[in-house]
Amino acid sequence: MAQQAKPLPTTAIAEHLQDLVLQCDDVQELLNELAAFSAARLSTRGEVLCGVTLLRHRKATTVANSDVRVLPLDEMQYGFGDGPCMTAIRESATIHVPNLHDESRWPGYTATAWGHGIGSILSVPLPLEGEANAALNIYSTRTHAFSGEDIETAEIYAGQASKALRLAVRVAQLTDDKKNLVAAMESRTAIDVAIGAIMAQNRCSQESAFRILKIASSTRNVKLRDVATSIVASVSKDPDIFTHFDN
């Protein structure tokens, strides 16, 4: 029998999740690592499968999983339109199903999941910001797989995980903003250099040079920054050769 992972102290969980935020290149990678880490940390009574469900604009999607077996289990729940995960997100409360065979809520889903070999489910909300909400879905093939201590640990863990996820989203937004700013600055620089080249070649004003550049962009059906970049490239290759434009 494989040795089960020992529970980590809350501070250690928080530190590990913060490390994931720093180490992962994007939010998708973080989510996958989060699902895998969740499964490893919460597998105290046998193997568990973990998935992260995102609910946005009333549409539920599995955005990460620790095992491909999670996907059909989640998809079945979305198909029925309700279940432990959906209820956890909607009510912002932990939903525990100790024995699917005896569960009277969501009879269609629980019967189908039981038929797929699932004995118990634990769904814990992951509070986010804005219009989206999420939940951590934990599946076990065993009935009564989650003790009171396991549930408490999962809730503490989910609280830390939601903080890490919100931080990752903010970092991703800042990174995108920075990339967009750099791209805008590079584009502006190329346009300014191109205007200078046109002014030198045609001995015209800055306004006239910009108009020539816009005409070239429109005539060629090419973005202004791309036309400017081609001009800068030609100038950088040979300062004595400028691209000619006719008014």
Side-chain angles (χ1 to χ4, degrees):
M1 175 182 286
Q3 185 177 2
Q4 303 302 329
K6 294 180 180 180
L8 286 177
T10 301
T11 53
I13 291 175
E15 289 175 359
H16 182 81
L17 292 172
Q18 290 169 5
D19 288 342
L20 285 182
V21 173
L22 297 174
Q23 294 169 4
C24 294
D25 293 331
D26 53 42
V27 175
Q28 183 60 58
E29 183 182 355
L30 172 67
L31 288 169
N32 288 327
E33 290 291 339
L34 176 62
F37 181 67
S38 303
R41 288 302 102 200
L42 301 174
S43 296
T44 59
R45 299 190 177 195
E47 182 189 22
V48 299
L49 313 175
C50 288
V52 178
T53 290
L54 181 69
L55 182 64
R56 188 176 186 184
H57 303 307
R58 298 183 180 180
K59 180 177 176 59
T61 307
T62 301
V63 293
N65 64 84
S66 66
D67 191 292
V68 293
R69 289 173 288 176
V70 168
L71 297 175
L73 294 169
D74 283 352
E75 290 295 335
M76 284 188 290
Q77 188 167 172
Y78 307 154
F80 282 105
D82 204 1
C85 170
M86 305 295 286
T87 302
I89 294 176
R90 186 173 61 249
E91 298 182 359
S92 297
T94 297
I95 301 298
H96 179 213
V97 184
N99 188 338
L100 264 71
H101 187 263
D102 298 334
E103 180 58 60
S104 59
R105 296 171 292 179
W106 328 288
Y109 172 71
T110 52
T112 305
W114 175 266
H116 280 72
I118 298 302
S120 53
I121 297 175
L122 181 63
S123 294
V124 187
L126 294 170
L128 299 179
E129 297 174 340
E131 300 177 355
N133 288 294
L136 182 67
N137 306 314
I138 311 165
Y139 301 95
S140 175
T141 56
R142 301 172 62 252
T143 59
H144 303 283
F146 308 106
S147 66
E149 184 179 355
D150 293 331
I151 296 172
E152 183 178 357
T153 298
E155 289 176 336
I156 294 173
Y157 173 76
Q160 296 293 339
S162 65
K163 292 178 182 178
L165 185 54
R166 290 199 298 270
L167 178 58
V169 170
R170 289 180 182 177
V171 170
Q173 290 173 341
L174 289 173
T175 300
D176 288 342
D177 290 343
K178 180 180 178 181
K179 289 180 180 177
N180 291 336
L181 179 59
V182 170
M185 291 175 65
E186 291 176 347
S187 177
R188 183 69 257 177
T189 299
I191 291 173
D192 288 343
V193 173
I195 289 174
I198 296 172
M199 290 173 64
Q201 175 64 26
N202 294 274
R203 297 179 181 179
C204 61
S205 67
Q206 181 178 4
E207 183 179 352
S208 297
F210 183 59
R211 185 166 59 250
I212 292 172
L213 190 62
K214 288 178 65 177
I215 292 173
S217 172
S218 177
T219 302
R220 300 180 184 181
N221 195 25
V222 177
K223 291 182 178 180
L224 190 68
R225 68 171 179 268
D226 292 336
V227 174
T229 300
S230 67
I231 295 174
V232 173
S234 66
V235 171
S236 62
K237 289 178 182 177
D238 189 343
D240 295 326
I241 300 177
F242 293 97
T243 303
H244 290 262
F245 295 97
D246 294 326
N247 273 318

